[in-house]
Amino acid sequence: MREILFLILFFIAVSLFSLYLGGLTRKAIEKGEIEPVFPNPSDYRNSIYMFALIVLGTLMVLFFIKIKVEFVKVLENIALFLLISTTFSYFLPIFTSFLLSILLIIVSEVKPSFILKNLCIFLSIPSASAIIGASLDYKVVLLFFIILAFYDIVSVFITKHMVYIAEKLLSKSSSLISVFPSKKIRKVSFSHGKRKIRVIALGAGDYFMPASFSVSLLPLGIKYSLSTLFLNAITLFFLLYFIHKREVSRPLPAIPFLLISSILGFLISFYL
């Protein structure tokens, strides 16, 4: 139970940090200091472009896993370097940001631990969510959210390639999945049978997508962002509690549940 609370608090911390950076990013865009990622924030085709990038990235990960899992670490660390240095650059000079980012990645690889890997997630997801959420209209982000929710269902229950990726990444120390140690030993059904694990885990995408939607709601008012954020945290708590209580479980896609709670949180905000 304690590990679930830690994960939920971590989820809230990542989401709040994303909102903070999202506010800074939006102000910088409005002042003309930086350009938005997409020239037309209201173009629904942007959601298709982003989904295409997700599929391409997934195919690359699957390809490298088939060859050697270590190759995935190269892609992971390149992405981490870009995102963590971006996060640091909100507060520090570019050169210092690069140095700190490289140092953190090196230390996390030389002496891997769940604390360092979770720290990498905490410093990488918020800048990605801030940039995407601040660069797009909330309706476009919502469409992307819906597409990813269906993709998550398909990839976990039908093609099961996300289950395969999660199984491989859990055997290695990866910043693509946040992990919190658990005292309880659970049996989890993976693609090649059941495995005993003593952790509770959540994929990086399960932080990124709801945080991006919350950031995109900032122009409407902070109450919309915070309402979706905290309802997402509550939903995630009950989902993880349900999984934790079962002796034998299977990986579940979190994004569809977070999509529903995000929409409900958004609608509830109109009455607050």
Side-chain angles (χ1 to χ4, degrees), residues 17 55 64 160 183 206:
F17 194 23
V55 173
F64 285 123
K160 299 183 179 180
K183 292 182 179 180
D206 301 323

Side-chain angles (χ1 to χ4, degrees), residues 76-87 89 98 101 105 124 127:
E76 176 186 323
N77 287 330
I78 291 173
L80 284 176
F81 169 72
L82 294 173
L83 291 173
I84 293 175
S85 58
T86 300
T87 299
S89 70
F98 284 166
S101 179
I105 292 170
S124 59
S127 58

Side-chain angles (χ1 to χ4, degrees), residues 9 20 24 34 50 52 83 85-86 115-116 134 136 145-146 149 151 181 203 218 239-243 250 265:
L9 289 174
Y20 177 68
L24 295 179
I34 61 173
M50 289 190 293
L83 291 173
S85 58
T86 300
I115 294 177
L116 284 174
L136 292 171
F145 207 161
I146 293 170
Y151 174 69
L218 283 174
L239 176 62
L240 294 174
Y241 182 77
F242 169 75
I243 295 173
R250 60 182 299 179

